[in-house]
């Protein structure tokens, strides 16, 4: 099933960006994502935007499945260790892999494209191509 109307797609893009903010901070500060999420929610304006529900689902889902997600990323990241990846790329990959494996109403191409688009905005010039290849390989594995 496709994600639906443009409004929902834009809300999910905002949610992915918020999830990236929290996961990035948790990664840099070596803190549990759930702990960072609590302080993040305290810092942002209330009432919280509607898309925070999906952002929270992504953050909690990545945190809950982090070992499996990182294992897949490490297995399919040709020539890269997970620790050597830029922090933004590592966490964009985590969000996308979570969506590929655990969010059935997000089509695989959508999860991949969203990660690539965010990488274009927020990471290095090589990141979009790297993430696209990595996530394509993981998606092919996940659909077997």
């Amino acid at each position: 099933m496709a994600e639906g109307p443009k409004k929902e797609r834009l809300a999910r893009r905002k949610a992915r960006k918020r999830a990236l903010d929290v996961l990035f901070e948790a990664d840099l500060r070596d803190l549990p994502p759930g702990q960072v999420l609590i302080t993040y929610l305290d810092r942002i304006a209330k009432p919280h935007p509607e898309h925070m529900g999906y952002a929270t689902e992504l953050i909690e889902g990545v945190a809950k499945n982090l070992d499996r997600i990182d294992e897949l990323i490490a297995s399919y990241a040709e020539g890269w260790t997970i620790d050597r990846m830029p922090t933004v790329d590592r966490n964009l990959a985590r969000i996308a892999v979570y969506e590929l494996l655990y969010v059935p109403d997000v089509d695989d191409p959508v999860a991949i494209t969203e990660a690539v688009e965010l990488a274009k905005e927020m990471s290095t010039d090589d990141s979009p191509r790297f993430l696209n290849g990595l996530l394509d390989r993981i998606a092919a594995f996940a659909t077997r």
Side-chain angles (χ1 to χ4, degrees), residues 86-113:
T87 308
V88 170
D89 296 1
R90 179 172 50 241
N91 286 289
L92 283 172
R94 287 170 172 162
I95 292 166
V97 171
Y98 174 75
E99 287 185 314
L100 289 170
L101 297 179
Y102 302 105
V103 185
D105 68 326
V106 174
D107 293 335
D108 290 359
V110 172
I112 294 167
T113 300

Side-chain angles (χ1 to χ4, degrees), residues 1-139:
M1 179 190 326
E3 275 194 88
K6 185 176 181 178
K7 184 178 178 184
E8 184 179 344
R9 284 193 310 272
L10 291 174
R12 286 208 171 177
R13 179 167 289 181
K14 289 178 184 176
R16 289 178 185 101
K17 198 167 184 178
R18 296 249 189 192
L20 176 62
D21 290 345
V22 171
L23 293 170
F24 181 88
E25 181 180 340
D27 201 353
L28 280 182
R29 296 178 63 203
D30 198 26
L31 294 171
Q35 181 181 334
V36 174
L37 175 61
I38 291 167
T39 59
Y40 184 84
L41 290 172
D42 286 342
R43 289 192 309 252
I44 64 172
K46 291 168 186 64
H48 294 142
E50 213 173 286
H51 63 264
M52 279 309 300
Y54 188 60
T56 299
E57 177 187 335
L58 292 173
I59 295 158
E60 291 173 347
V62 168
K64 178 181 174 191
N65 298 287
L66 188 61
D67 290 342
R68 176 72 177 133
I69 290 168
D70 280 359
E71 176 186 311
L72 281 171
I73 293 169
S75 295
Y76 287 90
E78 297 170 351
W80 286 85
T81 63
I82 199 158
D83 293 332
R84 220 177 111 226
M85 287 176 200
T87 308
V88 170
D89 296 1
R90 179 172 50 241
N91 286 289
L92 283 172
R94 287 170 172 162
I95 292 166
V97 171
Y98 174 75
E99 287 185 314
L100 289 170
L101 297 179
Y102 302 105
V103 185
D105 68 326
V106 174
D107 293 335
D108 290 359
V110 172
I112 294 167
T113 300
E114 288 296 319
V116 168
E117 290 301 314
L118 284 170
K120 286 178 186 175
E121 277 180 49
M122 306 181 77
S123 198
T124 70
D125 290 344
D126 294 330
S127 295
R129 189 178 72 246
F130 168 74
L131 282 171
N132 191 56
L134 170 65
L135 296 171
D136 277 344
R137 289 188 296 276
I138 292 172

